[in-house]
Amino acid sequence: MTAGSSEAEADQSESLSWMALEDSDRWRLAQIHAEVRPHLALQHFDCPLNTRLADDPPPAVGRLLARSLRDASVASNAAKAVGFRARPVADDPERRACIRVDDDLRSTASHPSGHATVGALWGRIMAEVAPDQAGALIRIGDEIGVSRVVCALHYPSDVAAGQRLGVALFEAVRMTPDYQADLAAARVELAQARTLGRLNPGCAAERVALGQTPS
């Protein structure tokens, strides 16, 4: 995207509109979504599944998330190397981020969003593991990317590009033998986890947060 173009100006304007949600429930959800270590990131998918996965992480589900996180990191970092775009918090040093940002993070490339890449990939993987909640799981994966706009760490177009990359990666990784083997095991694990009656106490707040938009 060319700096100063109408597209760039619209992207920046949309980014600024999300400042209206600072310190809101959506802001706090964005802070939670910053966590992408697989054994902890399982919590992002608790609410559609009516369970609490991080209490006792299912091994095959964890392997699916860990392997795909590596794939997403490699792909998004390669895309970032093609051209540099500064993050919103770097373009405007007075802009608040929803998490602590050091100089190293502030100076890294914004396009495409790596969190959006892995979120879109994870949402679609989890939708294959639990197809009865596919729509809700895909939405949560995509909302991990939206959270980066809320956090002022990426512009909306960075997130959209990351989500497209995540979808493309999903179509590639789902055809691999390792994926198919873990998918079968993960379906059994998740079906068992959903019978245990564990609930994430943050689900009510998550439902409120997902209904909040800058408009």
Side-chain angles (χ1 to χ4, degrees), residues 37-80:
R37 288 173 292 180
H39 66 291
L40 295 175
L42 285 167
Q43 68 183 307
H44 303 327
F45 301 99
D46 283 349
C47 300
L49 298 170
N50 289 315
T51 189
R52 194 169 185 178
L53 296 174
D55 280 356
D56 187 13
V61 179
R63 288 195 299 272
L64 285 171
L65 266 59
R67 192 162 54 241
S68 55
L69 174 61
R70 292 192 293 271
D71 292 338
S73 296
V74 169
S76 60
N77 286 336
K80 287 177 187 287

Side-chain angles (χ1 to χ4, degrees), residues 78-167:
K80 287 177 187 287
V82 173
F84 181 82
R85 184 187 192 187
R87 298 176 183 271
V89 291
D91 283 336
D92 180 3
E94 299 302 315
R95 182 85 180 267
R96 288 179 64 197
C98 75
I99 60 172
R100 182 177 296 177
V101 178
D102 59 21
D103 290 340
D104 287 341
L105 179 60
R106 195 181 296 272
S107 65
T108 55
S110 188
H111 186 90
S113 166
H115 275 69
T117 301
V118 75
L121 177 54
W122 279 350
R124 284 151 181 83
I125 289 172
M126 292 300 291
E128 280 213 313
V129 178
D132 64 302
Q133 290 296 320
L137 292 164
I138 289 171
R139 183 191 177 187
I140 290 296
D142 288 346
E143 289 287 345
I144 292 172
V146 174
S147 286
R148 305 304 275 182
V149 181
V150 178
C151 278
L153 292 173
H154 294 284
Y155 288 103
S157 65
D158 305 329
V159 167
Q163 289 171 339
R164 290 193 296 272
L165 181 57
V167 172

